[in-house]
Amino acid sequence: MPDMTREFLKPHFPWITLVALTIIVGLANPDFLSISGLISLMADVVPLLIMALGMTFAIYIGGIDLSVQQLANMVTVMTTVYLAQYGIGVALLVILAGALFGAVSGFVTTRLYVPSFVSTLAIGFIALSIAKWLSDQRALFMDATLRDIHFGWMFDTTMGVPHELVLGLVLVLLAWFLQTRTSFGRALKAVGSGELAAVASGLDVDRVKILAFCISGMFAACAGLMFSVKLSGGDAQLANGFLLLAIVAVLVGGTPLTGGVGGVINTLIGTLIVMVIRAAMVYLEVDATQQQMVFGIVLIIAIALTIDRSKLRGVVK
Amino acid sequence: MTGIAADGDASLGIMMRDVIVRWAPLLVLAFLVLLFPVFEWLEDFRAGQDHVYLLDSRFFSIRNASRIAVAATPGLMVAIGVTFIIIMGSIDLSMEGTVSVTAVIFAFAFLALGGTLAGWAWLAIPLAMLVGAAMGMVNGLIHVVFRIPSFMVSLAMGFVGTGLALVLTGGDRIRVEDELFRALLTVRWLNFPIMCYVALLALLVAWFIQSRTTLGRNFYAVGGGEELAQASGLNVTRVRVLGFALAGIFFALGALMAVGRIGIAETATGNNFMFISITAVVVGGTALWGGIGGVLNTMVGVLIVYVITNGMVVIGLPNWLQDGVLGALVITAVVLSTNRRSISFVK
């Protein structure tokens, strides 16, 4: 009987962890639970959420995308450089660039048999080169008026809700729709849960994988765009530090690296868990030098709690 | 090797291809070493200066070879450590944290014990290796006891390591200025600093562990097929934990080399080791899914990565272009050293 309860609860571990963490932090410091505080925390975490959403697709098929951080870096530079020329059209430009880079990663992984760990890392280096070239290796700043004309709407609020948060949720919905309501989403699941079986049943696995990396690239570009507008500038190192956090957000949400399980809603929860842990350290006044260590330890505990071991097929690599 | 009698030609073909794939990383390395001097020759040729290919090359010189060797030494140690883990089909991403922690603890202990190798401070070296082993063991234990994939455990342990180093140093840099210890870099035998020979010795030890001990063979057994290894009575859990501990020792060696090279231990000592070491392992021909490759492959892979990095600087490639070229060359190197027929799919 306890086994059945466990089976039943398993898929729910990630959000239970999130709620429990929130309550614990809230009890320790009630200020944490103020609505406006939580909303601004969530608004801050939107670029990370978007990046993690894209990463989810790469991990869902059993791969990984290490290029997202460099893509976002490149996009911050592109946005800053081309804003004057294309206005809001720059959004289209950078998303296309993200898609292109993702597609190349996918192509290199599937057709040239380079593991995604290496191919995406290498493609990321190429994006970094372009970022350095475009920016002349300097930090660039946006024209404040142009930024407000074209992207000012992103940071307005409606009834206290920041638009960037709404944008983040729209992208979650879009990713969720792709994952659960389209034949592409089902193909993703098939590839993730058993690539050989997917090939055997006649699925064009290469195409599905290339598309997954393409989507990852597009989301990374969106994250970079938002980041750039938010900080009103671009730089080849602006988004550094986001890669590992994005991976962590996906994993803590309960999408294991073996693929086929989890998904974008898990990533939403995972991102929120990461947010709560990081914010908690500020609210609980953890010493600045100790924060990273505490983050690592809490992370191990969170992963141990959220991961669904039944889908690891007996082998824990 | 099936059907030897039936079609000898085909199996000969397969053997040939196997031989080529096996030696591909070395061929790539040789090609790169010969490639960069071509650019130097071209430049002088266009300027109308005398230039004998290779002989007049700044890249293809003992002095530069020693520069590459010194730069590659810490990375080689770290990459050897992670090779054992990758052979088992797992992955270890904790190297940046482990290197930082062991470097910092080494430096503190070294200074506390008198600050010179002539006294008791030599004890700091085995201490650092013990700390590395302990961190690796914790990594491995969490991995097998809680059944969390090594990717996640080691990634989080990497955060813990970097964080611990930050707590220990409070963000300060610790200088290790003992002349005897710095002799690793400053004293040269046959044009190469001592640290290169120490690294070579460590490589030999790693090769011995890999190919002449039961533990080494068990790594391959686990990587080749974990269920099979388990079914034939191998204590896979023990092999895994020992593997991670062994990797930790080599990460500590990497930290010692890094401190020996720069003379400073800090939280940032471990930076950049993660991607460089894993790229080097893969470029060297060790497969990420386990069971194939080894430390000699890793040695070649590390050299490929550092030869590319160094060569680009020597031929004066613009700074912004270097990352992209490295990326493109890494993909090329992996493509050339992968036996496509033997893989059914790639993650």
Side-chain angles (χ1 to χ4, degrees):
Chain A
M1 216 39 195
D3 266 7
M4 275 184 64
T5 330
R6 211 180 142 71
E7 280 303 313
F8 173 75
L9 280 179
K10 239 177 220 160
H12 303 291
F13 281 153
W15 72 260
I16 295 174
T17 308
L18 173 63
V19 171
L21 267 174
T22 313
I23 293 175
I24 293 172
V25 181
L27 284 179
N29 187 340
D31 289 348
F32 177 71
L33 292 180
S34 85
I35 300 289
S36 63
L38 282 178
I39 284 180
S40 84
L41 269 182
M42 283 195 277
D44 280 343
V45 88
V46 169
L48 174 65
L49 170 68
I50 297 174
M51 198 179 269
L53 281 177
M55 177 75 75
T56 313
F57 286 93
I59 293 185
Y60 199 67
I61 54 162
I64 194 148
D65 189 347
L66 301 182
S67 68
V68 291
Q69 170 176 308
Q70 306 295 13
L71 284 183
N73 278 331
M74 181 183 77
V75 164
T76 64
V77 175
M78 283 178 76
T79 311
T80 314
V81 171
Y82 294 118
L83 178 66
Q85 206 170 336
Y86 299 110
I88 197 161
V90 82
L92 191 67
L93 179 75
V94 297
I95 291 173
L96 279 178
L100 177 70
F101 272 80
V104 174
S105 287
F107 179 84
V108 173
T109 306
T110 53
R111 301 285 156 86
L112 301 182
Y113 301 97
V114 178
S116 58
F117 196 101
V118 176
S119 64
T120 55
L121 185 64
I123 296 297
F125 278 136
I126 294 175
L128 176 63
S129 259
I130 294 177
K132 281 183 171 175
W133 172 66
L134 267 180
S135 69
D136 220 0
Q137 306 192 47
R138 286 178 294 125
L140 308 175
F141 297 97
M142 270 179 202
D143 184 297
T145 359
L146 279 176
R147 166 186 177 249
D148 289 342
I149 294 172
H150 298 297
F151 290 105
W153 54 272
M154 223 189 248
F155 302 102
D156 287 343
T157 55
T158 306
M159 293 187 297
V161 181
H163 288 174
E164 48 181 335
L165 193 55
V166 177
L167 202 61
L169 290 179
V170 168
L171 284 173
V172 171
L173 278 178
L174 181 72
W176 176 80
F177 181 82
L178 266 178
Q179 183 205 319
T180 55
R181 294 280 179 274
T182 62
S183 58
F184 167 67
R186 279 188 288 278
L188 277 181
K189 193 165 178 75
V191 173
S193 3
E195 189 156 343
L196 291 177
V199 176
S201 47
L203 201 61
D204 187 347
V205 171
D206 284 1
R207 204 177 62 110
V208 173
K209 289 175 105 173
I210 292 174
L211 261 176
F213 283 105
C214 213
I215 292 175
S216 177
M218 288 200 280
F219 275 89
C222 290
L225 175 68
M226 189 173 241
F227 212 53
S228 168
V229 177
K230 208 166 171 154
L231 299 180
S232 196
D235 165 356
Q237 276 122 33
L238 200 65
N240 282 5
F242 269 69
L243 171 64
L244 293 180
L245 279 183
I247 297 176
V248 161
V250 176
L251 299 183
V252 174
T255 306
L257 287 158
T258 38
V261 199
V264 294
I265 301 301
N266 290 69
T267 298
L268 174 64
I269 296 168
T271 312
L272 293 177
I273 293 178
V274 170
M275 178 199 84
V276 172
I277 297 176
R278 290 178 75 86
M281 291 194 285
V282 178
Y283 278 92
L284 303 183
E285 291 168 9
V286 176
D287 190 64
T289 55
Q290 294 173 6
Q291 286 191 4
Q292 183 152 23
M293 191 175 69
V294 175
F295 182 68
I297 294 172
V298 177
L299 204 58
I300 294 179
I301 300 172
I303 292 175
L305 288 176
T306 53
I307 187 173
D308 181 353
R309 292 170 182 79
S310 61
K311 300 286 168 40
L312 295 176
R313 297 176 218 128
V315 185
V316 182
K317 291 230 158 159
Chain B
M1 214 43 78
T2 53
I4 291 173
D7 47 357
D9 283 353
S11 74
L12 194 70
I14 292 172
M15 268 170 70
M16 272 300 289
R17 205 180 53 228
D18 279 355
V19 168
I20 292 175
V21 165
R22 202 157 158 206
W23 292 97
L26 210 55
L27 292 176
V28 170
L29 179 61
F31 172 73
L32 286 168
V33 168
L34 296 177
L35 174 72
F36 287 110
V38 172
F39 289 100
E40 288 181 279
W41 177 80
L42 262 180
E43 194 183 330
D44 278 0
F45 179 75
R46 273 200 238 135
Q49 285 167 332
D50 282 342
H51 185 117
V52 184
Y53 175 65
L54 289 188
L55 281 186
D56 289 337
S57 164
R58 276 168 296 131
F59 173 82
F60 194 80
S61 62
I62 298 277
R63 180 194 288 263
N64 197 45
S66 137
R67 205 175 288 139
I68 294 174
V70 170
T73 299
L76 174 65
M77 297 295 98
V78 174
I80 288 176
V82 78
T83 304
F84 293 124
I85 308 292
I86 293 181
I87 289 175
M88 289 195 292
S90 301
I91 199 152
D92 189 339
L93 304 179
S94 68
M95 57 278 279
E96 297 192 352
T98 308
V99 166
S100 295
V101 169
T102 46
V104 166
I105 290 183
F106 164 75
F108 275 129
F110 193 84
L111 296 181
L113 291 167
T116 169
L117 274 187
W120 282 107
W122 65 271
L123 276 173
I125 295 176
L127 175 73
M129 290 165 74
L130 270 179
V131 171
M135 291 200 54
M137 197 169 265
V138 171
N139 221 336
L141 280 174
I142 296 180
H143 164 49
V144 295
V145 172
F146 294 103
R147 308 215 314 127
I148 309 175
S150 54
F151 187 104
M152 306 186 203
V153 181
S154 58
L155 186 63
M157 277 299 286
F159 285 127
V160 175
T162 312
L164 184 60
L166 185 63
V167 170
L168 288 172
T169 59
D172 291 337
R173 301 169 138 204
I174 307 142
R175 291 179 187 281
V176 178
E177 284 161 336
D178 176 36
E179 275 179 25
L180 263 178
F181 181 67
R182 294 307 305 280
L184 272 177
L185 178 73
T186 51
V187 174
R188 287 168 183 254
W189 296 334
L190 300 172
N191 294 307
F192 287 89
I194 297 181
M195 60 193 291
C196 300
Y197 298 95
V198 178
L200 216 53
L201 185 70
L203 176 70
L204 276 179
V205 172
W207 176 81
F208 182 82
I209 295 175
Q210 170 200 305
S211 50
R212 293 284 181 274
T213 65
T214 324
L215 182 64
R217 276 191 289 265
N218 287 345
F219 290 153
Y220 284 94
V222 171
E226 180 156 352
E227 288 96 342
L228 205 65
Q230 185 95 53
S232 44
L234 186 65
N235 186 344
V236 173
T237 306
R238 193 172 144 269
V239 173
R240 283 196 182 282
V241 175
L242 282 178
F244 277 92
L246 187 62
I249 295 178
F250 276 95
F251 296 165
L253 279 176
L256 292 176
M257 299 294 175
V259 177
R261 189 161 88 92
I262 322 172
I264 291 170
E266 57 178 332
T267 314
T269 306
N271 285 5
N272 297 328
F273 277 116
M274 186 202 291
F275 292 135
I276 283 191
S277 58
I278 290 173
T279 306
V281 170
V282 175
V283 168
T286 300
L288 277 179
W289 45 92
I292 309 169
V295 292
L296 295 183
N297 290 71
T298 297
M299 157 96 177
V300 176
V302 168
L303 283 179
I304 289 178
V305 171
Y306 282 93
V307 160
I308 294 175
T309 329
N310 171 285
M312 289 190 300
V313 177
V314 171
I315 65 169
L317 215 58
N319 181 296
W320 62 266
L321 195 57
Q322 292 182 9
D323 300 291
V325 172
L326 178 66
L329 286 177
V330 161
I331 291 179
T332 316
V334 175
V335 169
L336 290 178
S337 52
T338 313
N339 188 354
R340 264 149 236 220
R341 288 288 183 84
S342 72
I343 343 172
S344 49
F345 62 90
V346 171
K347 290 240 158 150

